Amino acid sequence: MSAASWSIPAIPRAAPPARGGLPGDAFLVAARPGPGRRRAAPGRRLRLRGGGVVVARAGAAEVPVTHPEESGVVFSEKFPLRRCKTVQGKAWARVVAEPDGEGMCKIVIGCDVEGKWVLHWGVSYDGEQGREWDQPPSEVRPPGSVTIKDYAIETPLVGSPNSEGHMVHEVEIKFNQDTPIAIINFVLKEEETGAWFQHKGGDFRIPLSGSLEDGDPFGAQQDTVHPGAKPEGSSAQPQETVPGDKGPSVKRISEFYGEYPILKSEYVQNFVSVTVTENSETDKSLVEFDTDITGQVIIHWGVCKDNTMTWEIPSEPHPPKTKIFRQKALQTLLQQKTDGTGNTISFLLNADYSGLVFVLKLDEYTWLRNVDNGFDFYIPLKEPHKSDEQKVDDKSAQTDGLIGDIRNLVVGLSSRRGQRAKNKVLQEDILQEIERLAAEAYSIFRSPTIDAVEDSVYIDDPATVKPACSGTGSGFEILCQGFNWESHKSGKWYVELGAKAKELASLGFTIVWSPPPTDSVSPEGYMPRDLYNLNSRYGTIEELKQLVNIFHEAGVKVLGDAVLNHRCAQFQNQNGVWNIFGGRINWDDRAVVADDPHFQGRGNKSSGDNFHAAPNIDHSQDFVRNDLKEWLCWMRKEVGYDGWRLDFVRGFWGGYVKDYLEASEPYFAVGEYWDSLSYTYGEMDYNQDAHRQRIVDWINATSGTAGAFDVTTKGILHMALERSEYWRLSDEKGKPPGVLGWWPSRAVTFIENHDTGSTQGHWRFPYGMEMQGYVYILTHPGTPAVFYDHVFSHLQQDIAKLISVRRRLKIHCRSKVYNMHRK
């Protein structure tokens, strides 16, 4: 079912709790926005009570070496840039059914976008229904093919120049004209980026027979293609059907061709050079920018004083073609070079500023930061003076210095990542120094003389963690989604997931969310049919029971994915409408809501939004609720589920959910309440209170018996990271801006799931910024959820470190977040 900036590096190791610290609380250190006060988004620090410190500061780049030997030059550095560029091309499929000299027909699949392409494919045979894949017979597999589990093949595409000299990538699949294969199913994968390319959210489906019974040969539409019809978006010429022939899918076509546009994102390397020259006569600094990026380039920038890293707008005059951005920063358009090789600009700044912080903006969605550490660029405008540090004796300045030291250590350690550790002792020394400095900084912040505001943030804020309840479990839960959109294709997912139980437990996960278990019209499980039939595309009921037992033995609880909003019927009524149900729960059309025109229900009106792909169930009916409560209790006892992930809860009143949960008594429950955030003229609003209010209202309707996925926080993180608008991470009262800021114990935070990511990609998290998202949710209250695809990827080690920090510091779903500012 779908500015100024700061950044948070992953901490390799956290400090031990400082003496007197209360474990499990988190500090968000930032200037509170308010009337007449600029929101100091670039200068934030995330501080974990108990000693752990995560630094989040604008301009936290490691300051490169200056060149004092150059007269008047304070700073000069050439920074590499990496930007994402969209390349448009096309994919195509061509069926040549005319046999060659060897009596073989062929299908050619290709694309014209540069990259390392792989065809991920399978087949469907004559007479098969649905969209399950089978592996093709060995004789039709091209050279270089490798098997993927027991349902697919991956074959590399081969690049070669076409007649126009452009590089194209193609693969030929040869088959006998009497092959029983009816359909070639495939998606394309670009190995260098790991990106998947589908058609309309589904597989490409190429018919080798005259038509497809389930519709569009190039995608997921369900319209019927009649004999002799030409599929939309393709060039297919079926043979004429034989008189008296009753089936449309037995004849081979003599020709088929279809193509589809492909958009691929790729990275381009550029640079930006910054030079600062000090002029003692004018008491000003000359700042020069130079980049090889052509086209429009804007520097989004501000200045700071006294090494505070707090963005300010410099006094006028400002450079030409400069505008003030929301009273927080300046945006200056660079000037194109006369030779067309890039852009440049230079301007003067008063000498009373200590530094300049900037990012580059190419368009509304492309912002470039320091690729070495992911932070904004920080440029010193003065030579550092050690005597200034020696004169500072107030506690806030002490803390700034300590945090700066920690920041440099973390950046230094991060810069060595990807290299083999030649001196492990040195790295261990760095980690120990981080711990020592963090503990010292923490003790200073705990001093009663610090002038700070510590507001209670949450509506449920007890001094200790509450006992276990269905909304939160123990309060220390860390959830892993144990599947993606493709998991059903193996047919043995329960077995495969069970093999990873010990590994997931060792990583620190306490709950795993398993896929929908019931018989379903769709192989992914979200179109349930016979609720008591738990033999699904993921495995048998016995394999499911074994899976749950394996996780229980590893100390991990298991959530079942319960689809209660809608159900697919097994029989038609007298009007030919599918609204009569079979199996053990054999409802008639009284179980269907009356206001869904597609399914002619005789129940009451819906208590929520309708899901139009299947009959929406009327939960106001006593017999419906009684049957569903009995079913949930049966699954708790029969399968051993510990709780529920509830699908599409936007479709029915939360009060019914309360009824179901009080009956089935889950250890943990979370609902998927997903709707659109607030936008004005295509721009995401800063204030998302209306969006999170709808989620909180649903949770409240359940009487807090269930939590909900914090869709608000996910959306805000998207914009904050994509556009470096980190001021969005604090609401108007200085609190976290999502459900996390209002009802943290019921907020299940996440950055990706099977709908938003995987091969669906309905709302994919910004590429390359996944770890920044996980740093946020794993160091904040709420219950964090980590996506399967991220756990079993190159991100695993960093995710494991963050989970370790969270557990060591006892951060829980009700940990406090303090927004601190100096008066």
Side-chain angles (χ1 to χ4, degrees):
M1 302 301 205
S2 231
S5 69
W6 55 283
S7 185
I8 307 176
I11 290 292
R13 185 174 176 183
R19 184 167 52 194
L22 299 177
D25 291 345
F27 289 81
L28 181 60
V29 184
R32 171 178 299 175
R37 183 186 295 273
R38 296 190 190 99
R39 191 176 296 105
R44 299 183 177 179
R45 293 187 296 272
L46 184 67
R47 181 173 293 277
L48 305 176
R49 181 178 291 178
V53 177
V54 177
V55 184
R57 298 175 61 128
E62 186 174 6
V63 177
V65 178
T66 58
H67 304 278
E69 67 277 5
E70 299 178 25
S71 177
V73 175
V74 174
F75 177 93
S76 182
E77 187 71 18
K78 183 177 182 178
F79 298 97
L81 299 173
R82 188 177 71 159
R83 60 190 175 95
C84 187
K85 182 177 70 172
T86 300
V87 178
Q88 183 169 354
K90 63 181 179 182
W92 58 83
R94 178 185 297 107
V95 176
V96 180
E98 188 70 28
D100 58 17
E102 300 177 352
M104 302 295 288
C105 308
K106 67 180 180 181
I107 177 171
V108 180
I109 299 172
C111 72
D112 61 359
V113 178
E114 184 178 349
K116 188 177 180 181
W117 293 94
V118 171
L119 184 73
H120 182 90
W121 64 291
V123 302
S124 299
Y125 290 100
D126 289 333
E128 289 188 344
Q129 301 295 322
R131 292 174 176 269
E132 285 296 283
W133 290 20
D134 288 309
Q135 283 188 344
S138 57
E139 62 268 18
V140 305
R141 303 176 189 179
S145 298
V146 296
T147 58
I148 304 298
K149 300 179 181 176
D150 59 357
Y151 66 87
I153 295 292
E154 286 194 349
T155 305
L157 275 64
V158 179
S160 61
N162 61 12
S163 58
E164 300 176 353
H166 299 145
M167 184 65 69
V168 297
H169 306 266
E170 288 188 326
V171 63
E172 289 187 359
I173 300 171
K174 293 189 175 182
F175 56 92
N176 190 286
Q177 59 182 334
D178 296 324
T179 180
I181 298 173
I183 301 167
I184 300 289
N185 308 287
F186 74 91
V187 294
L188 287 171
K189 179 181 179 182
E190 206 289 299
E191 286 202 319
E192 293 177 343
T193 61
W196 295 80
F197 296 83
Q198 298 178 287
H199 178 66
K200 300 180 181 178
D203 305 331
F204 294 91
R205 309 188 72 222
I206 310 305
L208 302 186
S209 56
S211 66
L212 291 177
E213 292 183 353
D214 57 352
D216 179 10
F218 236 40
Q221 301 301 315
Q222 298 294 323
D223 302 321
T224 300
V225 179
H226 299 287
K230 181 176 178 180
E232 183 180 355
S234 65
S235 174
Q237 296 180 2
Q239 295 178 0
E240 295 181 1
T241 55
V242 178
D245 186 6
K246 298 181 181 180
S249 58
V250 295
K251 295 296 182 180
R252 298 287 176 260
I253 61 172
S254 59
E255 177 183 330
F256 176 90
Y257 178 78
E259 62 182 40
Y260 183 74
I262 279 186
L263 297 177
K264 177 194 170 188
S265 296
E266 61 182 33
Y267 284 101
V268 179
Q269 301 295 326
N270 294 102
F271 72 85
V272 60
S273 296
V274 184
T275 301
V276 179
T277 306
E278 198 173 43
N279 189 324
S280 57
E281 295 181 358
T282 61
D283 199 29
K284 292 182 181 294
S285 298
L286 175 66
V287 184
E288 300 174 86
F289 288 86
D290 183 85
T291 179
D292 63 342
I293 300 178
T294 58
Q296 178 175 287
V297 180
I298 293 173
I299 53 169
H300 179 96
W301 64 288
V303 295
C304 47
K305 295 179 179 179
D306 304 322
N307 298 310
T308 62
M309 300 297 191
T310 301
W311 283 46
E312 298 182 15
I313 296 177
S315 57
E316 295 183 343
H318 298 150
K321 298 185 178 180
T322 294
K323 64 179 182 179
I324 298 176
F325 181 80
R326 298 180 180 175
Q327 300 301 316
K328 302 179 185 70
L330 295 180
Q331 292 188 340
T332 300
L333 178 66
L334 272 61
Q335 302 168 0
Q336 293 189 8
K337 300 178 185 178
T338 55
D339 59 4
T341 58
N343 289 269
T344 185
I345 197 171
S346 60
F347 51 83
L348 295 173
L349 285 175
N350 292 333
D352 52 348
Y353 303 118
S354 61
L356 181 147
V357 189
F358 77 94
V359 294
L360 293 178
K361 177 184 176 183
L362 305 187
D363 55 49
E364 289 301 316
Y365 303 99
T366 307
W367 300 72
L368 305 182
R369 292 171 291 179
N370 192 326
V371 298
D372 289 336
N373 50 39
F375 295 113
D376 305 340
F377 296 95
Y378 173 73
I379 309 300
L381 300 177
K382 293 181 179 181
E383 292 280 5
H385 299 290
K386 293 184 179 179
S387 59
D388 292 340
E389 296 180 4
Q390 296 169 354
K391 295 177 182 178
V392 176
D393 58 2
D394 65 284
K395 292 183 178 179
S396 60
Q398 290 178 44
T399 308
D400 281 339
L402 289 168
I403 296 300
D405 292 340
I406 295 171
R407 182 197 68 219
N408 291 331
L409 286 169
V410 172
V411 171
L413 193 63
S414 299
S415 67
R416 293 171 176 81
R417 295 182 62 188
Q419 303 177 12
R420 293 193 176 273
K422 296 181 179 179
N423 191 336
K424 293 185 178 179
V425 175
L426 176 60
Q427 290 196 4
E428 188 68 18
D429 289 344
I430 293 175
L431 291 172
Q432 290 177 2
E433 182 66 8
I434 290 173
E435 291 183 348
R436 184 189 68 77
L437 292 169
E440 185 177 347
Y442 174 77
S443 65
I444 293 173
F445 258 108
R446 291 294 297 164
S447 170
T449 60
I450 288 293
D451 187 12
V453 176
E454 301 185 358
D455 290 338
S456 177
V457 173
Y458 305 125
I459 65 175
D460 59 341
D461 192 21
T464 59
V465 180
K466 294 178 180 178
C469 67
S470 60
T472 62
S474 69
F476 292 91
E477 309 301 343
I478 303 174
L479 188 151
C480 174
Q481 179 175 358
F483 63 99
N484 61 30
W485 194 247
E486 302 295 313
S487 297
H488 68 278
K489 288 185 176 178
S490 71
K492 293 286 184 180
W493 186 250
Y494 294 146
V495 176
E496 295 173 24
L497 182 59
K500 295 179 169 64
K502 291 184 178 179
E503 182 178 3
L504 290 171
S506 69
L507 291 172
F509 291 104
T510 63
I511 297 181
V512 64
W513 158 20
S514 64
T518 61
D519 165 55
S520 170
V521 171
S522 65
E524 297 82 15
Y526 288 101
M527 300 283 279
R529 185 167 42 195
D530 185 351
L531 299 186
Y532 278 90
N533 181 357
L534 301 189
N535 296 312
S536 71
R537 311 298 174 88
Y538 297 100
T540 67
I541 182 173
E542 294 304 321
E543 290 169 339
L544 174 58
K545 291 179 182 179
Q546 186 178 10
L547 170 73
V548 174
N549 287 334
I550 290 172
F551 271 104
H552 284 172
E553 290 173 359
V556 178
K557 298 188 182 298
V558 182
L559 301 185
D561 200 327
V563 184
L564 304 179
N565 174 76
H566 52 273
R567 182 184 171 194
C568 293
Q570 290 161 285
F571 306 102
Q572 296 168 290
N573 68 2
Q574 65 274 18
N575 298 323
V577 177
W578 294 88
N579 60 12
I580 307 298
F581 303 92
R584 181 166 163 181
I585 305 180
N586 54 350
W587 296 328
D588 59 17
D589 53 5
R590 293 174 300 160
V592 180
V593 297
D595 50 348
D596 185 347
H598 298 88
F599 296 103
Q600 297 181 6
R602 291 193 296 125
N604 298 313
K605 289 187 176 181
S606 175
S607 57
D609 297 332
N610 279 329
F611 176 72
H612 295 295
N616 287 252
I617 301 305
D618 179 12
H619 294 266
S620 70
Q621 304 279 10
D622 289 340
F623 72 89
V624 167
R625 292 201 308 280
N626 290 336
D627 285 342
L628 289 178
K629 285 187 287 187
E630 182 180 348
W631 174 64
L632 290 170
C633 291
W634 174 79
M635 285 206 297
R636 285 271 279 142
K637 181 178 179 180
E638 183 71 17
V639 178
Y641 283 133
D642 302 288
W644 315 113
R645 180 266 185 185
L646 302 171
D647 184 67
F648 199 75
V649 297
R650 209 179 79 211
F652 56 105
W653 179 47
Y656 300 135
V657 173
K658 175 187 176 184
D659 199 13
Y660 299 140
L661 298 187
E662 287 179 344
S664 60
E665 297 181 330
Y667 173 80
F668 188 95
V670 55
E672 179 209 33
Y673 194 104
W674 180 5
D675 66 357
S676 178
L677 276 74
S678 302
Y679 292 82
T680 301
Y681 301 115
E683 183 81 8
M684 181 185 286
D685 295 341
Y686 165 66
N687 187 324
Q688 293 294 332
D689 287 355
H691 184 266
R692 60 175 165 173
Q693 185 67 61
R694 292 193 292 274
I695 300 176
V696 167
D697 286 346
W698 179 84
I699 300 172
N700 195 50
T702 74
S703 296
T705 56
F709 288 107
D710 193 348
V711 180
T712 315
T713 291
K714 173 177 168 63
I716 291 170
L717 282 172
H718 272 245
M719 196 62 67
L721 289 168
E722 281 182 323
R723 302 175 63 172
S724 299
E725 294 179 350
Y726 286 91
W727 43 267
R728 292 182 179 273
L729 295 180
S730 177
D731 68 12
E732 292 176 348
K733 294 183 178 180
K735 302 175 184 179
V739 178
L740 178 65
W742 280 359
W743 205 340
S745 69
R746 301 303 190 270
V748 178
T749 54
F750 72 107
I751 69 168
E752 206 79 288
N753 63 29
H754 62 289
D755 286 321
T756 66
S758 190
T759 53
Q760 289 202 98
H762 291 322
W763 193 25
R764 200 178 300 280
F765 202 75
Y767 178 74
M769 297 179 179
E770 294 87 354
M771 279 314 304
Q772 288 177 302
Y774 281 125
V775 166
Y776 184 89
I777 68 172
L778 285 168
T779 58
H780 275 65
T783 300
V786 182
F787 185 40
Y788 179 90
D789 288 5
H790 293 160
V791 175
F792 294 98
S793 74
H794 65 285
L795 303 178
Q796 184 182 102
Q797 186 177 4
D798 288 335
I799 291 172
K801 290 176 182 177
L802 286 169
I803 293 175
S804 178
V805 169
R806 183 180 183 90
R807 297 184 69 183
R808 188 184 309 128
L809 299 178
K810 295 183 172 64
I811 301 173
H812 53 80
C813 69
R814 296 179 180 83
S815 291
K816 295 181 180 179
V817 173
Y818 291 91
N819 191 331
M820 307 179 69
H821 73 281
R822 297 185 180 89
K823 296 179 180 178

